[in-house]
Amino acid sequence: MPTLRRGRPVPRTRMATDRAEAALVEQYTALVRLAYLTLPAALSRHRRVLMAHAAAQRALPGARPVRVPGPRTEAAPARTEDALRVRVLRAALAGAHRPTGWPAVLPPPRALMPRLPLVWGLRLFPRAGGAEEIALGQALAGASAPARAAFVLRRVDGFPAGRTAALLGAAGVTDPEAVVREAAALDAGAGAPAEALLRSQEFDACSVQTRPTDLIRRGRRKRAAWAVGALAVITAVVLTAPGGGHDERPEVRAGAARASALDAGRLSRAAADEWADTSRVDFTVWPARGGRADDEALLARALDTWAAPADTVAVTTTPGTPADAPPRTPRLLFAGNVDGRAVVLLTDGDRLARYGEPADGGRATLALARVDDADVTTAAAVVLSREDGAARYLTAPWISEANRRDLLRPDTPAKPLHVSRDGVTDAVPVTGAGGCSRRPVLQLRSSARIVEHHAFLVADLGGLSPVHLTYTPLPGHGTPPPRQPREATSGTALLAWARTACGLGPWRGGAVRAVNAWDFAEQELPERGGHAVWSCARASTWRGPGDVALLLRTPASTAAAPARVVARARDTAACSRFGQHVVASARWTSPKGHAYVVAAGSRAVTRISVSGAVEATRPGRTLAVRAPERGAVRVTARLDNGDRLPQVGS
């Protein structure tokens, strides 16, 4: 069998050049897609589109021949297409490369070099896809650039692992086999629809929309350029005068640096529409809003308090959130008056800081919370004020519609929620620490400029940012592939959450970023006990670990009757993509008064056993056996690969 490791140069004859031009025209869209997805997601979509087209357009044979992997017997057109792919991969990987010591806040060096095509006065970006495309884009952003390239070559082009590794090696990747393995892990998490999603408009850099650049910012830049020119002239005059120059004493320089870091005039501010032209949709693209965004005295007090809060300031932090000063110049998100208090909202990229001071001169407050790796849903809103059983939220600039609903009333339609021009909502009732008479949530909709037909739920659990609620439906029959969490806005999801919502109480104030309700099994209870559903509610925190609650939903008289919590576990991977197998059990009494042990497992469970006060084994995913009312029991399961699975929690 011919080896694919050794390459051979593609001849640079006139016929070869013509063949390459024809192949480039034919494969142009695929080559641009390969480059677009290989380039880092941290770049704006506009910059990635232009760099992807530049990589494809510069792929024609040049002065240096390209060694193409493959057997010598391979047809010339196939070798030509592979040569184009190798050149595109080299350009895209070079565009993603950051030299050692290169500032993280700057794009890679290649991204700063002007190349054709150039566009002035317009921003280009692919058309928005759906929630699945956003999830896939986030998964790709977390992988390395070579792994993204391998993923596209495997999924879109359909290349085998060997050919993919050979192309990557020819493009300069040092360990292509390891990269292919990384792409395989990414492929396993992406699921079957990945190929169709990669071909969708979300990742098609050849079918783009256009928007004007920030016209107001453009005018400011012109005026700033004139001001900088005038300042340069004045500085030159001062430096050439006798006695001119700088004070080089270290203490002077250090004092100037500290003053610069706390200077309200140096706060970072995003452009008004930056959120619509980036692959990173989070708090870093929120524009500065609010009626006091230019109040430098207020902003200075907020910065000083974050850097070194006085003893009179009430400081609160969510679990796992450091309370130290910002390591870099913060970004201003909001400054204005809300419910009789001045509120300033800042972010350093990893944390949110909300500073508040009452109008009557009372005690100032500072609240800090982690928000690293936030996304379109977990960065959709922030609590500006919470008092008298109600809260006001600042919604993200990409939120086009806001509603409120009660999780305990799944059949009641959501009600419109008024939002001001600055993104501040009217007061919304919140759930208290005790009782479960209501569970108000926000139902938000994203702008079609970033994702189409995307509505989602967030719940206030006492933190700075509301918690994203999702739902994973029951598996199909047989042994289907794992289902992914989806937005909890369908009728089935709302019915499931109506019986799960009262279980959110223990997670209040716990730095939770998202809660997923996963219906992992269903069971017909014995003695005509009715249809039951087993569910796992997982609260994922900003710190990383997650807590789970296993619930059993038996027939109830009302749609919002709380499900029975049968087990809990803390700091576990269970019920996540790293813990996709689960088995749970519970004591249950039939309508005739007989005591049973019932148990159920997820899709890969093939057998369940119970030991202790009762001994029994049943094939399949469910078990129901008569048992004494007292006595300890232990339930285990077997998976389809033969592994043993203990039950979750206690």
Side-chain angles (χ1 to χ4, degrees), residues 358-375:
D360 58 6
R363 191 179 188 188
T365 60
L366 177 67
L368 298 170
R370 284 183 60 172
V371 291
D372 44 317
D373 296 326
D375 56 24

Side-chain angles (χ1 to χ4, degrees), residues 325-457:
R328 61 187 69 90
T329 302
R331 174 158 292 192
L332 176 63
L333 306 183
F334 178 85
N337 296 327
V338 182
D339 292 334
R341 294 177 63 87
V343 177
V344 178
L345 191 64
L346 303 164
T347 181
D348 63 359
D350 296 323
R351 295 172 296 172
L352 280 179
R354 187 187 65 199
Y355 170 79
E357 58 181 35
D360 58 6
R363 191 179 188 188
T365 60
L366 177 67
L368 298 170
R370 284 183 60 172
V371 291
D372 44 317
D373 296 326
D375 56 24
V376 66
T377 55
T378 51
V382 175
V383 178
L384 288 181
S385 71
R386 187 186 291 114
E387 59 182 35
D388 298 330
R392 293 185 190 272
Y393 304 90
L394 179 66
T395 58
W398 57 82
I399 297 301
S400 61
E401 180 182 310
N403 297 278
R404 58 186 177 89
R405 69 180 314 137
D406 189 344
L407 284 180
L408 301 185
R409 293 160 179 80
D411 296 330
T412 302
K415 299 179 180 179
L417 176 62
H418 177 261
V419 180
S420 72
R421 293 184 60 184
D422 281 335
V424 181
T425 70
D426 286 353
V428 179
V430 295
T431 305
C436 190
S437 60
R438 63 184 181 185
R439 279 292 184 268
V441 295
L442 300 182
Q443 181 168 310
L444 307 175
R445 181 175 296 277
S446 301
S447 168
R449 293 176 65 180
I450 59 169
V451 57
E452 292 183 342
H453 312 301
H454 180 226
F456 56 96
L457 301 183

Side-chain angles (χ1 to χ4, degrees), residues 31 68 159 173 235 290 292 327 336 344 361 408 430 459 464 522 526 544 610 637:
L31 294 173
V68 179
F159 292 164
V173 177
T235 303
R292 302 183 67 176
V344 178
L408 301 185
V430 295
L464 266 184
E522 56 185 338
V610 59

Side-chain angles (χ1 to χ4, degrees), residues 495-639:
L495 287 172
W497 265 108
R499 302 198 59 186
T500 307
C502 288
L504 291 172
W507 292 321
R508 288 185 60 83
V512 177
R513 65 179 298 168
V515 181
N516 180 54
W518 172 32
D519 288 347
F520 65 86
E522 56 185 338
Q523 181 177 18
E524 293 298 328
L525 298 174
E527 299 183 15
R528 297 184 178 181
H531 185 78
V533 175
W534 295 81
S535 181
C536 179
R538 176 180 175 83
S540 300
T541 66
W542 291 100
R543 307 187 311 277
D547 301 342
V548 300
L550 279 299
L551 302 101
L552 176 61
R553 301 202 304 266
T554 55
S557 57
T558 64
R564 176 186 168 192
V565 179
V566 300
R568 290 188 180 275
R570 294 181 58 84
D571 295 339
T572 177
C575 306
S576 73
R577 62 192 181 102
F578 301 109
Q580 299 182 10
H581 309 302
V582 61
V583 64
S585 66
R587 297 272 191 171
W588 176 77
T589 303
S590 74
K592 296 182 179 180
H594 299 145
Y596 281 83
V597 169
V598 293
S602 53
R603 62 186 183 88
V605 169
T606 60
R607 187 178 67 197
I608 299 178
S609 301
V610 59
S611 59
V614 61
E615 302 279 342
T617 298
R618 298 287 186 271
R621 301 179 189 167
T622 61
L623 173 145
V625 295
R626 292 278 294 271
E629 294 184 1
R630 299 180 181 276
V633 296
R634 185 179 66 173
V635 169
T636 59
R638 287 287 176 183
L639 301 177

